[in-house]
Coordinates of all heavy atoms in Angstrom, one line a residue:
M745 N 29.2 -117.5 164.5 CA 30.1 -117.1 163.5 C 31.6 -117.5 163.8 O 32.4 -117.7 162.9 CB 30.0 -115.6 163.2 CG 30.9 -115.2 162.1 SD 30.6 -113.6 161.3 CE 28.9 -113.3 161.2
S746 N 31.8 -117.7 165.1 CA 33.2 -118.1 165.5 C 33.6 -119.4 164.9 O 34.8 -119.7 164.7 CB 33.3 -118.1 167.0 OG 32.5 -119.0 167.6
A747 N 32.7 -120.3 164.6 CA 33.0 -121.5 163.9 C 33.7 -121.4 162.6 O 34.4 -122.2 162.1 CB 31.8 -122.4 163.8
W748 N 33.4 -120.2 161.9 CA 34.0 -120.0 160.6 C 35.1 -118.9 160.7 O 35.4 -118.3 159.6 CB 32.9 -119.5 159.6 CG 31.9 -120.6 159.4 CD1 32.1 -121.8 158.7 CD2 30.6 -120.7 159.9 NE1 30.9 -122.5 158.7 CE2 30.0 -121.9 159.5 CE3 29.9 -119.8 160.8 CZ2 28.7 -122.2 159.8 CZ3 28.6 -120.2 161.1 CH2 28.0 -121.4 160.6
I749 N 35.7 -118.7 161.8 CA 36.6 -117.6 162.0 C 37.8 -117.7 161.1 O 38.5 -116.7 160.8 CB 36.9 -117.3 163.5 CG1 37.5 -115.9 163.7 CG2 37.9 -118.4 163.9 CD1 37.4 -115.4 165.1
S750 N 38.2 -118.9 160.7 CA 39.3 -119.1 159.9 C 39.1 -118.6 158.4 O 40.0 -118.3 157.7 CB 39.8 -120.5 159.8 OG 38.7 -121.3 159.3
D751 N 37.8 -118.4 158.1 CA 37.4 -117.8 156.8 C 37.6 -116.3 156.9 O 37.1 -115.6 157.8 CB 35.9 -118.1 156.5 CG 35.5 -117.5 155.2 OD1 35.9 -118.0 154.2 OD2 34.7 -116.5 155.3
A752 N 38.3 -115.7 156.0 CA 38.6 -114.3 156.0 C 37.4 -113.4 156.0 O 37.3 -112.4 156.7 CB 39.5 -113.9 154.8
Q753 N 36.3 -113.8 155.3 CA 35.1 -113.0 155.3 C 34.4 -113.0 156.6 O 33.9 -112.0 157.1 CB 34.1 -113.6 154.2 CG 33.8 -112.6 153.1 CD 32.9 -113.3 152.1 OE1 32.8 -114.5 152.0 NE2 32.2 -112.4 151.4
A754 N 34.4 -114.2 157.3 CA 33.7 -114.3 158.6 C 34.5 -113.4 159.6 O 33.9 -112.7 160.4 CB 33.7 -115.7 159.1
R755 N 35.9 -113.5 159.6 CA 36.7 -112.7 160.5 C 36.5 -111.2 160.2 O 36.4 -110.5 161.1 CB 38.2 -113.1 160.3 CG 39.0 -112.5 161.4 CD 40.5 -113.1 161.4 NE 41.1 -113.1 160.0 CZ 41.2 -114.3 159.3 NH1 40.9 -115.4 159.8 NH2 41.8 -114.3 158.1
R756 N 36.4 -110.9 159.0 CA 36.2 -109.4 158.6 C 34.9 -109.0 159.2 O 34.8 -107.9 159.7 CB 36.3 -109.3 157.1 CG 36.3 -107.8 156.6 CD 36.7 -107.7 155.1 NE 36.2 -108.7 154.3 CZ 37.0 -109.7 153.7 NH1 38.3 -109.7 154.0 NH2 36.5 -110.6 152.9
R757 N 33.9 -109.8 159.0 CA 32.5 -109.4 159.6 C 32.5 -109.3 161.1 O 31.9 -108.4 161.6 CB 31.5 -110.5 159.1 CG 30.1 -110.2 159.7 CD 29.5 -108.9 159.1 NE 28.3 -108.5 159.7 CZ 28.0 -107.4 160.4 NH1 29.0 -106.5 160.5 NH2 26.9 -107.2 161.0
L758 N 33.3 -110.1 161.8 CA 33.4 -110.0 163.2 C 34.1 -108.7 163.6 O 33.7 -108.0 164.5 CB 34.1 -111.2 163.8 CG 33.3 -112.5 164.0 CD1 34.2 -113.7 164.3 CD2 32.3 -112.3 165.0
V759 N 35.1 -108.3 162.8 CA 35.8 -107.1 163.1 C 34.8 -105.9 162.9 O 34.8 -105.0 163.7 CB 37.1 -107.0 162.2 CG1 37.7 -105.5 162.3 CG2 38.1 -108.0 162.6
E760 N 34.0 -106.0 161.8 CA 33.0 -104.9 161.6 C 32.0 -104.8 162.7 O 31.6 -103.7 163.1 CB 32.3 -105.2 160.3 CG 33.0 -105.0 159.0 CD 32.3 -105.5 157.8 OE1 31.1 -106.0 157.9 OE2 32.9 -105.5 156.7
M761 N 31.7 -106.0 163.3 CA 30.7 -106.0 164.4 C 31.3 -105.4 165.7 O 30.5 -105.0 166.6 CB 30.3 -107.4 164.7 CG 29.4 -108.0 163.6 SD 29.2 -109.8 163.7 CE 28.3 -109.9 165.3
L762 N 32.6 -105.1 165.8 CA 33.1 -104.4 166.9 C 32.6 -103.0 167.0 O 32.7 -102.4 168.1 CB 34.7 -104.4 166.8 CG 35.4 -105.8 167.0 CD1 36.9 -105.6 166.7 CD2 35.1 -106.3 168.4
D763 N 32.1 -102.5 165.9 CA 31.6 -101.1 165.9 C 30.1 -101.1 165.6 O 29.5 -100.1 165.1 CB 32.3 -100.3 164.9 CG 32.2 -98.8 165.1 OD1 32.0 -98.4 166.3 OD2 32.4 -98.0 164.2
D764 N 29.4 -102.2 165.9 CA 28.0 -102.4 165.7 C 27.2 -101.4 166.6 O 27.7 -100.9 167.7 CB 27.5 -103.8 166.0 CG 26.2 -104.1 165.5 OD1 25.1 -103.8 166.2 OD2 26.1 -104.6 164.4
D765 N 26.0 -101.0 166.2 CA 25.2 -100.1 167.1 C 24.7 -100.8 168.4 O 24.4 -100.1 169.3 CB 23.9 -99.7 166.3 CG 24.3 -98.7 165.2 OD1 25.4 -98.1 165.2 OD2 23.5 -98.6 164.2
I766 N 24.7 -102.1 168.4 CA 24.2 -102.8 169.5 C 25.5 -103.3 170.3 O 26.3 -104.1 169.8 CB 23.3 -104.0 169.1 CG1 22.1 -103.5 168.3 CG2 22.9 -104.8 170.3 CD1 21.3 -104.6 167.6
V767 N 25.6 -102.8 171.5 CA 26.8 -103.1 172.3 C 27.0 -104.6 172.6 O 28.1 -105.1 172.6 CB 26.8 -102.3 173.6 CG1 25.8 -102.8 174.6 CG2 28.2 -102.3 174.2
T768 N 25.9 -105.3 172.7 CA 26.0 -106.8 172.9 C 26.6 -107.5 171.8 O 27.4 -108.4 171.9 CB 24.5 -107.4 173.2 OG1 23.9 -106.7 174.2 CG2 24.6 -108.9 173.5
M769 N 26.4 -107.0 170.6 CA 27.0 -107.5 169.4 C 28.5 -107.3 169.4 O 29.3 -108.1 169.0 CB 26.4 -107.0 168.1 CG 24.9 -107.3 167.9 SD 24.7 -109.1 167.7 CE 25.1 -109.3 166.0
Q770 N 28.9 -106.1 169.8 CA 30.3 -105.7 169.9 C 31.0 -106.6 170.9 O 32.1 -107.1 170.6 CB 30.4 -104.3 170.5 CG 29.9 -103.2 169.5 CD 30.0 -101.8 170.2 OE1 30.9 -101.5 171.0 NE2 29.1 -101.0 169.8
I771 N 30.4 -106.9 172.0 CA 31.0 -107.7 173.1 C 31.2 -109.2 172.6 O 32.2 -109.8 172.7 CB 30.2 -107.7 174.4 CG1 30.3 -106.3 175.0 CG2 30.7 -108.7 175.4 CD1 29.2 -106.0 176.1
E772 N 30.1 -109.7 171.9 CA 30.2 -111.1 171.4 C 31.2 -111.2 170.3 O 31.9 -112.2 170.3 CB 28.8 -111.5 170.9 CG 27.7 -111.6 172.0 CD 28.0 -112.7 173.0 OE1 28.6 -113.8 172.6 OE2 27.7 -112.5 174.2
A773 N 31.3 -110.2 169.4 CA 32.3 -110.2 168.4 C 33.7 -110.2 169.0 O 34.6 -110.9 168.5 CB 32.1 -109.1 167.4
A774 N 33.9 -109.3 170.0 CA 35.2 -109.2 170.6 C 35.6 -110.5 171.2 O 36.8 -111.0 171.1 CB 35.2 -108.1 171.6
E775 N 34.7 -111.1 171.9 CA 35.0 -112.4 172.6 C 35.3 -113.5 171.6 O 36.3 -114.3 171.7 CB 33.8 -112.9 173.5 CG 34.2 -114.1 174.2 CD 33.1 -114.5 175.3 OE1 32.2 -113.7 175.6 OE2 33.2 -115.7 175.7
A776 N 34.6 -113.6 170.5 CA 34.8 -114.6 169.5 C 36.2 -114.4 168.8 O 37.0 -115.3 168.6 CB 33.7 -114.5 168.4
L777 N 36.5 -113.1 168.5 CA 37.8 -112.8 167.9 C 39.0 -113.1 168.9 O 40.0 -113.7 168.5 CB 37.9 -111.3 167.6 CG 37.1 -110.9 166.3 CD1 36.9 -109.4 166.2 CD2 37.8 -111.4 165.1
V778 N 38.8 -112.8 170.2 CA 39.9 -113.1 171.1 C 40.1 -114.6 171.4 O 41.2 -115.1 171.4 CB 39.6 -112.3 172.4 CG1 40.5 -112.8 173.6 CG2 39.8 -110.8 172.2
R779 N 39.0 -115.3 171.6 CA 39.0 -116.7 171.9 C 39.4 -117.6 170.7 O 40.1 -118.5 170.8 CB 37.7 -117.2 172.3 CG 37.3 -116.9 173.7 CD 36.0 -117.5 174.1 NE 35.5 -117.2 175.4 CZ 35.5 -118.1 176.4 NH1 36.1 -119.3 176.2 NH2 35.1 -117.8 177.6
H780 N 38.9 -117.2 169.5 CA 39.1 -118.1 168.3 C 39.9 -117.5 167.1 O 40.1 -118.2 166.2 CB 37.7 -118.5 167.8 CG 36.9 -119.1 168.9 ND1 37.1 -120.3 169.5 CD2 35.8 -118.6 169.5 CE1 36.2 -120.6 170.4 NE2 35.4 -119.5 170.4
G781 N 40.2 -116.2 167.2 CA 40.8 -115.5 166.1 C 42.3 -115.5 166.1 O 42.9 -114.8 165.2
G782 N 42.9 -116.1 167.1 CA 44.4 -116.1 167.2 C 44.9 -114.7 167.4 O 44.2 -113.8 167.8
E783 N 46.2 -114.5 167.0 CA 46.8 -113.2 167.1 C 46.1 -112.1 166.4 O 45.9 -111.0 166.9 CB 48.3 -113.4 166.6 CG 49.1 -112.2 166.9 CD 50.6 -112.4 166.5 OE1 51.3 -113.3 167.1 OE2 51.0 -111.8 165.5
L784 N 45.7 -112.4 165.2 CA 45.0 -111.3 164.4 C 43.7 -110.9 165.0 O 43.3 -109.7 165.0 CB 44.7 -111.8 162.9 CG 45.9 -111.9 162.0 CD1 45.5 -112.5 160.7 CD2 46.6 -110.6 161.8
G785 N 43.0 -111.9 165.6 CA 41.7 -111.5 166.3 C 42.0 -110.7 167.5 O 41.3 -109.7 167.7
L786 N 42.9 -111.1 168.3 CA 43.3 -110.3 169.5 C 43.7 -108.9 169.1 O 43.3 -107.9 169.7 CB 44.3 -111.0 170.3 CG 44.8 -110.3 171.6 CD1 43.6 -110.0 172.5 CD2 45.8 -111.2 172.3
L787 N 44.6 -108.8 168.1 CA 45.1 -107.5 167.7 C 43.9 -106.6 167.2 O 43.9 -105.4 167.4 CB 46.1 -107.6 166.6 CG 47.5 -108.1 167.1 CD1 48.4 -108.4 165.9 CD2 48.1 -107.0 168.0
S788 N 43.0 -107.2 166.5 CA 41.8 -106.4 166.0 C 41.0 -105.8 167.2 O 40.6 -104.7 167.1 CB 40.9 -107.3 165.2 OG 41.5 -107.8 164.0
V789 N 40.8 -106.6 168.2 CA 40.1 -106.1 169.4 C 40.9 -105.0 170.1 O 40.4 -104.0 170.5 CB 39.7 -107.3 170.3 CG1 39.1 -106.7 171.6 CG2 38.8 -108.2 169.6
L790 N 42.2 -105.3 170.3 CA 43.1 -104.3 171.0 C 43.1 -103.0 170.2 O 43.1 -101.9 170.8 CB 44.5 -104.8 171.2 CG 44.6 -106.0 172.2 CD1 46.0 -106.5 172.2 CD2 44.2 -105.6 173.6
E791 N 43.1 -103.1 168.9 CA 43.1 -101.9 168.0 C 41.8 -101.1 168.2 O 41.9 -99.9 168.4 CB 43.2 -102.4 166.5 CG 43.1 -101.3 165.5 CD 44.4 -100.5 165.3 OE1 45.4 -101.1 165.6 OE2 44.3 -99.4 164.8
E792 N 40.7 -101.8 168.3 CA 39.4 -101.1 168.6 C 39.4 -100.5 169.9 O 38.9 -99.3 170.1 CB 38.3 -102.2 168.5 CG 37.0 -101.6 168.3 CD 36.7 -100.9 167.0 OE1 37.5 -101.0 166.0 OE2 35.7 -100.2 166.9
L793 N 40.0 -101.1 171.0 CA 40.0 -100.6 172.3 C 40.8 -99.3 172.3 O 40.5 -98.3 173.0 CB 40.6 -101.5 173.3 CG 39.8 -102.8 173.6 CD1 40.6 -103.7 174.6 CD2 38.5 -102.4 174.2
G794 N 41.9 -99.3 171.6 CA 42.8 -98.1 171.5 C 42.3 -97.0 170.7 O 42.6 -95.8 170.9
R795 N 41.6 -97.3 169.6 CA 41.1 -96.3 168.6 C 39.9 -95.5 169.2 O 39.8 -94.3 169.0 CB 40.7 -97.1 167.4 CG 40.2 -96.2 166.2 CD 39.7 -97.0 165.0 NE 38.5 -97.7 165.3 CZ 37.3 -97.2 165.3 NH1 37.1 -95.9 165.1 NH2 36.2 -97.9 165.5
R796 N 39.0 -96.2 169.9 CA 37.8 -95.6 170.3 C 37.9 -95.0 171.7 O 38.6 -95.5 172.5 CB 36.6 -96.6 170.3 CG 36.3 -97.0 168.9 CD 35.3 -98.1 168.8 NE 34.2 -98.1 169.7 CZ 33.4 -99.1 169.9 NH1 33.6 -100.2 169.2 NH2 32.4 -99.0 170.7
D797 N 37.1 -94.0 171.9 CA 37.0 -93.4 173.2 C 35.5 -93.1 173.5 O 35.0 -92.0 173.5 CB 37.8 -92.1 173.3 CG 37.8 -91.5 174.7 OD1 37.7 -92.2 175.6 OD2 38.0 -90.2 174.8
D798 N 34.8 -94.2 173.8 CA 33.4 -94.1 174.1 C 33.0 -95.2 175.1 O 33.8 -96.1 175.4 CB 32.5 -94.3 172.8 CG 32.7 -95.6 172.1 OD1 32.4 -96.7 172.7 OD2 33.2 -95.6 171.0
A799 N 31.8 -95.0 175.7 CA 31.4 -95.9 176.8 C 31.2 -97.4 176.3 O 31.5 -98.3 177.1 CB 30.1 -95.4 177.4
D800 N 30.8 -97.6 175.1 CA 30.6 -98.9 174.6 C 31.9 -99.8 174.6 O 31.9 -101.0 174.9 CB 30.0 -99.0 173.2 CG 28.6 -98.5 173.2 OD1 28.0 -98.3 174.2 OD2 28.1 -98.3 172.0
V801 N 33.0 -99.2 174.3 CA 34.3 -99.9 174.3 C 34.7 -100.3 175.7 O 35.4 -101.3 175.9 CB 35.4 -99.1 173.6 CG1 36.0 -98.0 174.5 CG2 36.5 -100.0 173.1
D802 N 34.2 -99.7 176.7 CA 34.4 -100.1 178.1 C 33.8 -101.4 178.4 O 34.4 -102.2 179.1 CB 33.9 -99.1 179.1 CG 34.6 -97.7 179.1 OD1 35.8 -97.7 178.5 OD2 34.1 -96.7 179.6
Y803 N 32.7 -101.7 177.8 CA 32.0 -103.0 178.0 C 32.9 -104.1 177.4 O 33.0 -105.2 177.9 CB 30.6 -103.0 177.3 CG 29.6 -102.2 178.0 CD1 29.2 -101.0 177.5 CD2 29.1 -102.6 179.3 CE1 28.3 -100.2 178.1 CE2 28.2 -101.8 179.9 CZ 27.8 -100.6 179.4 OH 26.8 -99.8 180.0
I804 N 33.5 -103.8 176.2 CA 34.4 -104.8 175.6 C 35.6 -105.1 176.5 O 36.0 -106.2 176.8 CB 34.9 -104.3 174.2 CG1 33.7 -104.3 173.2 CG2 36.0 -105.3 173.7 CD1 34.0 -103.6 171.9
A805 N 36.2 -104.0 177.0 CA 37.4 -104.1 177.9 C 37.0 -104.9 179.2 O 37.8 -105.8 179.6 CB 37.9 -102.8 178.2
N806 N 35.8 -104.6 179.7 CA 35.4 -105.4 180.9 C 35.2 -106.8 180.6 O 35.5 -107.7 181.5 CB 34.1 -104.8 181.5 CG 34.4 -103.5 182.2 OD1 35.4 -103.3 182.9 ND2 33.5 -102.5 182.1
R807 N 34.7 -107.2 179.4 CA 34.5 -108.6 179.1 C 35.9 -109.3 178.9 O 36.0 -110.4 179.4 CB 33.7 -108.7 177.8 CG 33.5 -110.2 177.4 CD 32.7 -110.9 178.5 NE 32.6 -112.3 178.2 CZ 32.8 -113.3 179.1 NH1 33.0 -113.1 180.3 NH2 32.7 -114.6 178.7
L808 N 36.8 -108.6 178.3 CA 38.2 -109.2 178.2 C 38.8 -109.4 179.6 O 39.4 -110.4 179.8 CB 39.1 -108.3 177.3 CG 38.6 -108.1 175.9 CD1 39.7 -107.3 175.1 CD2 38.4 -109.4 175.2
S809 N 38.6 -108.4 180.5 CA 39.1 -108.5 181.8 C 38.5 -109.7 182.5 O 39.1 -110.5 183.2 CB 38.8 -107.2 182.6 OG 39.1 -107.4 184.0
D810 N 37.2 -109.9 182.4 CA 36.5 -111.1 183.0 C 37.0 -112.4 182.4 O 37.2 -113.3 183.1 CB 35.0 -111.0 182.7 CG 34.3 -110.0 183.5 OD1 34.9 -109.4 184.5 OD2 33.1 -109.7 183.2
L811 N 37.2 -112.5 181.1 CA 37.8 -113.7 180.5 C 39.1 -114.0 181.1 O 39.3 -115.2 181.4 CB 38.0 -113.5 179.0 CG 36.7 -113.5 178.1 CD1 37.1 -113.1 176.7 CD2 36.0 -114.8 178.1
D812 N 39.9 -113.1 181.3 CA 41.3 -113.3 181.9 C 41.2 -113.6 183.4 O 41.7 -114.6 183.9 CB 42.1 -112.1 181.7 CG 43.6 -112.4 181.8 OD1 44.1 -112.7 182.9 OD2 44.3 -112.3 180.8
N813 N 40.5 -112.8 184.1 CA 40.4 -112.9 185.6 C 39.7 -114.2 186.0 O 40.1 -114.7 187.1 CB 39.7 -111.7 186.2 CG 40.5 -110.5 186.2 OD1 41.7 -110.5 186.2 ND2 39.8 -109.3 186.1
F814 N 38.7 -114.7 185.3 CA 38.0 -115.9 185.7 C 38.6 -117.2 185.0 O 38.0 -118.2 185.0 CB 36.5 -115.8 185.4 CG 35.9 -114.7 186.2 CD1 35.2 -113.7 185.5 CD2 36.0 -114.7 187.6 CE1 34.6 -112.7 186.3 CE2 35.4 -113.7 188.3 CZ 34.7 -112.7 187.7
G815 N 39.8 -117.0 184.4 CA 40.5 -118.1 183.8 C 39.8 -118.7 182.5 O 40.1 -119.9 182.1
E816 N 39.0 -118.0 181.9 CA 38.3 -118.5 180.7 C 39.2 -118.3 179.4 O 39.2 -119.2 178.5 CB 37.0 -117.7 180.4 CG 36.0 -117.9 181.5 CD 34.7 -117.1 181.3 OE1 34.2 -117.1 180.1 OE2 34.3 -116.5 182.2
F817 N 40.0 -117.3 179.4 CA 41.0 -117.1 178.3 C 42.1 -116.1 178.8 O 41.8 -115.1 179.3 CB 40.3 -116.5 177.1 CG 41.3 -116.5 175.9 CD1 41.4 -117.6 175.1 CD2 42.0 -115.3 175.6 CE1 42.3 -117.6 174.0 CE2 42.9 -115.3 174.5 CZ 43.0 -116.4 173.7
P818 N 43.4 -116.5 178.6 CA 44.5 -115.7 179.1 C 44.8 -114.5 178.2 O 45.8 -114.5 177.4 CB 45.6 -116.7 179.1 CG 45.3 -117.6 178.0 CD 43.8 -117.7 178.0
V819 N 43.9 -113.5 178.2 CA 44.0 -112.3 177.3 C 45.4 -111.7 177.4 O 46.1 -111.5 176.4 CB 42.9 -111.3 177.6 CG1 43.1 -110.1 176.7 CG2 41.5 -112.0 177.4
L820 N 45.8 -111.3 178.6 CA 47.1 -110.6 178.8 C 48.3 -111.5 178.4 O 49.2 -111.0 177.7 CB 47.3 -110.1 180.2 CG 46.3 -109.0 180.6 CD1 46.6 -108.5 182.0 CD2 46.3 -107.8 179.6
A821 N 48.3 -112.8 178.7 CA 49.3 -113.7 178.3 C 49.4 -113.8 176.8 O 50.5 -113.8 176.2 CB 49.2 -115.0 179.0
A822 N 48.3 -113.9 176.2 CA 48.2 -114.0 174.7 C 48.8 -112.7 174.1 O 49.5 -112.8 173.1 CB 46.8 -114.3 174.2
A823 N 48.4 -111.6 174.7 CA 48.9 -110.3 174.1 C 50.4 -110.1 174.3 O 51.0 -109.6 173.4 CB 48.1 -109.2 174.8
S824 N 50.9 -110.6 175.4 CA 52.3 -110.5 175.7 C 53.2 -111.4 174.8 O 54.3 -111.1 174.6 CB 52.6 -110.8 177.1 OG 52.5 -112.1 177.4
S825 N 52.5 -112.4 174.1 CA 53.3 -113.2 173.2 C 53.4 -112.7 171.8 O 54.0 -113.2 171.0 CB 52.7 -114.6 173.2 OG 51.4 -114.6 172.6
I826 N 52.7 -111.6 171.6 CA 52.7 -110.9 170.2 C 53.9 -110.1 170.1 O 54.3 -109.3 171.0 CB 51.4 -110.1 170.0 CG1 50.2 -111.0 170.1 CG2 51.5 -109.4 168.7 CD1 48.9 -110.2 170.1
A827 N 54.6 -110.2 169.0 CA 55.8 -109.4 168.8 C 55.5 -108.0 168.8 O 54.5 -107.5 168.2 CB 56.5 -109.8 167.4
E828 N 56.4 -107.2 169.4 CA 56.2 -105.8 169.5 C 56.0 -105.1 168.2 O 55.2 -104.2 168.0 CB 57.4 -105.1 170.3 CG 57.3 -103.7 170.6 CD 56.2 -103.4 171.7 OE1 56.0 -104.2 172.5 OE2 55.6 -102.3 171.6
S829 N 56.7 -105.6 167.2 CA 56.6 -105.0 165.8 C 55.3 -105.2 165.2 O 54.9 -104.5 164.2 CB 57.7 -105.6 164.9 OG 57.5 -107.0 164.8
E830 N 54.5 -106.1 165.7 CA 53.1 -106.4 165.1 C 52.0 -105.5 165.8 O 50.9 -105.5 165.3 CB 52.8 -107.9 165.4 CG 53.7 -108.9 164.7 CD 53.7 -108.7 163.2 OE1 52.6 -108.6 162.6 OE2 54.8 -108.8 162.6
I831 N 52.4 -104.8 166.8 CA 51.4 -104.1 167.6 C 51.3 -102.6 167.1 O 52.3 -101.9 167.3 CB 51.6 -104.2 169.1 CG1 51.5 -105.6 169.5 CG2 50.6 -103.4 169.9 CD1 51.8 -105.9 171.0
S832 N 50.2 -102.2 166.6 CA 50.1 -100.8 166.1 C 50.0 -99.9 167.3 O 49.7 -100.3 168.5 CB 48.8 -100.7 165.3 OG 47.7 -100.8 166.1
P833 N 50.1 -98.6 167.1 CA 50.0 -97.6 168.2 C 48.6 -97.7 168.9 O 48.5 -97.7 170.1 CB 50.2 -96.3 167.6 CG 51.1 -96.5 166.4 CD 50.6 -97.9 165.9
N834 N 47.5 -97.9 168.1 CA 46.2 -98.0 168.7 C 46.1 -99.3 169.5 O 45.5 -99.3 170.6 CB 45.1 -98.0 167.7 CG 44.8 -96.6 167.2 OD1 45.0 -95.6 167.9 ND2 44.2 -96.5 166.0
A835 N 46.6 -100.4 169.0 CA 46.6 -101.7 169.8 C 47.4 -101.6 171.0 O 47.0 -102.1 172.1 CB 47.1 -102.8 168.9
R836 N 48.5 -100.9 171.0 CA 49.3 -100.7 172.2 C 48.6 -99.9 173.2 O 48.6 -100.2 174.4 CB 50.6 -99.9 171.8 CG 51.5 -99.4 172.9 CD 52.1 -100.4 173.8 NE 52.7 -101.5 173.1 CZ 52.8 -102.8 173.6 NH1 52.3 -103.1 174.8 NH2 53.4 -103.7 172.9
R837 N 47.9 -98.8 172.7 CA 47.0 -98.0 173.7 C 45.9 -98.9 174.3 O 45.7 -98.8 175.5 CB 46.5 -96.8 172.9 CG 45.8 -95.8 173.8 CD 45.3 -94.5 173.1 NE 45.4 -94.2 171.9 CZ 46.2 -94.2 170.7 NH1 47.0 -94.4 170.6 NH2 46.2 -93.8 169.6
G838 N 45.3 -99.7 173.5 CA 44.2 -100.6 173.9 C 44.8 -101.6 175.0 O 44.1 -101.8 176.0
L839 N 45.9 -102.1 174.7 CA 46.6 -103.0 175.7 C 46.9 -102.3 177.0 O 46.7 -102.9 178.1 CB 47.8 -103.7 175.0 CG 48.5 -104.7 175.9 CD1 47.5 -105.9 176.3 CD2 49.7 -105.3 175.1
T840 N 47.5 -101.1 176.9 CA 47.8 -100.4 178.1 C 46.5 -100.1 178.9 O 46.5 -100.2 180.1 CB 48.5 -99.0 177.7 OG1 49.7 -99.4 177.0 CG2 48.8 -98.2 178.9
E841 N 45.5 -99.7 178.2 CA 44.2 -99.4 178.9 C 43.7 -100.7 179.6 O 43.1 -100.7 180.7 CB 43.2 -98.8 178.0 CG 43.6 -97.4 177.6 CD 42.7 -96.8 176.5 OE1 41.7 -97.5 176.1 OE2 43.0 -95.8 176.0
L842 N 43.8 -101.8 178.9 CA 43.4 -103.1 179.5 C 44.2 -103.5 180.7 O 43.7 -103.9 181.7 CB 43.5 -104.2 178.4 CG 42.8 -105.5 178.8 CD1 41.3 -105.3 179.1 CD2 43.0 -106.5 177.6
H843 N 45.5 -103.3 180.7 CA 46.4 -103.5 181.8 C 45.9 -102.6 183.0 O 45.9 -103.1 184.1 CB 47.8 -103.2 181.5 CG 48.6 -104.3 180.9 ND1 49.0 -105.4 181.6 CD2 49.0 -104.5 179.6 CE1 49.6 -106.2 180.9 NE2 49.6 -105.7 179.6
E844 N 45.6 -101.3 182.7 CA 45.2 -100.4 183.8 C 43.9 -100.9 184.4 O 43.7 -100.8 185.6 CB 45.1 -99.0 183.2 CG 46.4 -98.3 182.9 CD 46.3 -97.0 182.1 OE1 45.1 -96.5 181.9 OE2 47.3 -96.5 181.7
L845 N 42.9 -101.3 183.5 CA 41.6 -101.8 184.0 C 41.8 -103.0 184.9 O 41.2 -103.0 186.0 CB 40.7 -102.1 182.8 CG 39.4 -102.8 183.2 CD1 38.5 -101.9 183.9 CD2 38.8 -103.4 181.9
M846 N 42.7 -103.9 184.6 CA 42.9 -105.1 185.3 C 43.9 -104.9 186.5 O 44.0 -105.8 187.3 CB 43.4 -106.2 184.4 CG 42.4 -106.5 183.3 SD 43.0 -107.7 182.1 CE 43.1 -109.2 183.0
G847 N 44.6 -103.8 186.5 CA 45.5 -103.5 187.6 C 46.7 -104.4 187.6 O 47.4 -104.6 188.6
R848 N 47.1 -104.8 186.4 CA 48.4 -105.6 186.3 C 49.1 -105.1 185.0 O 48.7 -104.6 184.2 CB 48.1 -107.1 186.1 CG 47.0 -107.7 186.6 CD 47.0 -109.2 186.5 NE 45.7 -109.5 186.0 CZ 45.4 -110.6 185.3 NH1 46.4 -111.4 184.9 NH2 44.2 -110.9 184.9

C-alpha cells in the first residue's frame, strides 16, 4: 500500500490500520507512513503513539526506534524538522515517549 501513499484514500487506510486488531498490521502501517508518508505520515504515527496507552503501541514505538537506531530512517531527525505549530499535543506526547525510549 505504501506505493500509493500519495493517494489520500491509501494514506487514510494506513492511518486506520494503526489501530488494527493485528499488531503486525499496526507496525507495518506505521513503518509505511513514516518512511513514505512525509510529514503527515510521521505526524499520524506520533499522534497514535501519544493518544494510546496500550501494549500494542509499544511495538510501534520499538519499530520506529529500530528504524532510527539502525540507520534505516532518521525518525527523530525527521520529527525535529516539523514546525512546532504543526505538532498536536498527542503527537508531542508520542515524540516525547519516543525520545525517552531511545534515550535521546
Side-chain angles (χ1 to χ4, degrees):
M745 185 160 324
S746 62
W748 297 286
I749 201 160
S750 60
D751 177 75
Q753 240 179 338
R755 190 172 45 255
R756 189 171 32 258
R757 178 64 187 123
L758 283 167
V759 171
E760 289 171 3
M761 289 169 63
L762 291 173
D763 200 24
D764 196 274
D765 291 337
I766 302 169
V767 73
T768 305
M769 296 297 280
Q770 294 176 30
I771 294 166
E772 293 297 323
E775 183 172 347
L777 285 163
V778 167
R779 283 183 182 257
H780 307 289
E783 188 175 290
L784 288 175
L786 180 55
L787 284 171
S788 296
V789 175
L790 293 175
E791 177 80 21
E792 195 71 9
L793 290 178
R795 182 183 69 78
R796 290 172 43 191
D797 186 25
D798 59 63
D800 289 350
V801 79
D802 293 342
Y803 290 107
I804 294 172
N806 284 324
R807 181 61 187 139
L808 297 185
S809 176
D810 288 348
L811 287 173
D812 199 294
N813 288 330
F814 296 124
E816 296 177 47
F817 188 86
V819 177
L820 293 181
S824 69
S825 70
I826 299 172
E828 187 67 32
S829 62
E830 299 296 316
I831 300 177
S832 71
N834 280 337
R836 169 64 48 211
R837 190 172 7 313
L839 182 56
T840 299
E841 291 172 8
L842 192 56
H843 275 285
E844 290 171 4
L845 172 69
M846 296 173 70
R848 332 186 227 153

